[in-house]
Amino acid sequence: QEVQKKTYTSTIDGMRKIARNEGVTTLWRGLSPTLAMAVPANIIYFAGYDWLRYSSKSPLSGLSSDHAPLTSGSLARIFAATAVSPIELVRTRMQAASGVGTTNHLVEAFNGIREMVGAHGYTSLWRGLTLTLWRDVPFSGIYWWGYETIRAKLTDAREEKRGRSLTLSDSPQQARLRSQSRENHTETFVDSFTAGAMSGAFASIVTMPFDVGKTRTQVYRDGSKSAVGDAAAQAPEELSMVRLLTHIFKT
């Protein structure tokens, strides 16, 4: 019974068992650091993307409309993920903790991180950042490239259906942006929803293994090693990304 309580066959099954065994509010564990992380992360990410993508002063201003979204999204995500990585470490440890009652999981997470910093230094606050970047950077690049590409195709198809040409005067990108500015609310919603859903789903599928590796690395606790200094007993979470994911795949 104890094993079954901690064995999740699906996301819904996991949520149901967590709510039943640890309380419904446990499903929102880690909300406070998530909110603290959301503001700076989104400011850096979206403001950075807009500046890199559209500013004439951006070092990427010379890129084509095919490469600019991918590169801008990737760079913006690097800056945002690096800035909030320590806060995400707190959130991940809180969410991974188990137990009910009066346990203060935020304090418990901070205590564990303080011990980790004392043993390995402040750079350990960015533990898992490499794997986070392996997840977030390709996700953002694929997402923005897919979003803008699909959005452009939908706009082109609508204009062709109306018998208009997007390339009569200005560049295709300028004409397309002008056409999108004349869309009604329904067209904008449908196109944005479709492009966002398709590109987001594809990017998630591609980068999901790195999310698993990132979480395993961040929740790993040094005390779980069976023998300190024994290379043979080195935990998989201490290995390189490729070796960690290979270990997960094999086991």
Side-chain angles (χ1 to χ4, degrees):
Q1 290 179 346
E2 289 300 319
V3 171
Q4 289 179 351
K5 283 183 180 180
K6 298 181 179 181
T7 302
Y8 307 144
T9 59
S10 66
T11 300
I12 299 299
D13 180 61
M15 294 173 64
R16 179 175 59 83
K17 288 180 178 178
I18 291 172
R20 183 181 62 194
N21 299 324
E22 302 183 41
V24 175
T25 56
T26 306
L27 296 174
W28 279 265
R29 181 182 295 163
L31 179 61
S32 53
T34 298
L35 295 177
M37 181 176 65
V39 174
N42 284 292
I43 289 175
I44 296 171
Y45 181 47
F46 287 103
Y49 177 81
D50 277 347
W51 186 83
L52 290 168
R53 177 73 174 88
Y54 298 108
S55 175
S56 59
K57 298 180 181 180
S58 169
L60 308 180
S61 58
L63 293 179
S64 66
S65 58
D66 293 327
H67 299 105
L70 191 150
T71 309
S72 300
S74 299
L75 288 177
R77 179 55 72 183
I78 290 175
F79 299 143
T82 303
V84 301
S85 183
I87 306 177
E88 186 175 13
L89 179 62
V90 175
R91 182 193 66 171
T92 304
R93 290 206 169 202
M94 286 183 65
Q95 291 175 335
S98 61
V100 294
T102 59
T103 304
N104 190 323
H105 295 285
L106 179 60
V107 174
E108 183 180 316
F110 274 119
N111 289 337
I113 291 174
R114 186 170 64 247
E115 294 175 2
M116 180 184 69
V117 170
H120 300 285
Y122 285 101
T123 56
S124 60
L125 291 173
W126 280 265
R127 169 180 287 175
L129 175 60
T130 301
L131 286 172
T132 298
L133 294 178
W134 270 99
R135 178 199 65 178
D136 288 358
V137 171
F139 177 92
S140 297
I142 294 171
Y143 173 81
W144 285 111
W145 171 78
Y147 176 85
E148 294 205 17
T149 300
I150 296 172
R151 187 86 163 81
K153 296 294 184 182
L154 294 174
T155 300
D156 291 350
R158 181 177 293 109
E159 291 301 296
E160 290 179 4
K161 185 177 180 180
R162 292 172 177 171
R164 301 173 184 171
S165 175
L166 293 176
T167 59
L168 288 178
S169 55
D170 297 325
S171 67
Q173 183 178 4
Q174 291 174 323
R176 188 177 293 118
L177 291 174
R178 183 177 295 108
S179 176
Q180 291 176 352
S181 68
R182 295 195 298 264
E183 292 175 347
N184 59 44
H185 295 302
T186 302
E187 292 173 340
T188 300
F189 174 79
V190 172
D191 288 2
S192 299
F193 183 93
T194 303
M198 293 178 66
S199 60
F202 178 71
S204 296
I205 292 171
V206 171
T207 59
M208 190 65 194
F210 302 115
D211 187 40
V212 174
K214 175 198 75 71
T215 304
R216 294 285 186 92
T217 300
Q218 288 184 319
V219 301
Y220 166 69
R221 299 183 185 277
D222 297 321
S224 62
K225 289 189 294 183
S226 58
V228 178
D230 187 356
Q234 189 176 26
E237 290 79 6
E238 294 183 313
L239 303 176
S240 66
M241 177 193 61
V242 174
R243 293 175 66 186
L244 170 59
L245 296 183
T246 301
H247 168 79
I248 293 173
F249 171 76
K250 288 181 177 179
T251 59

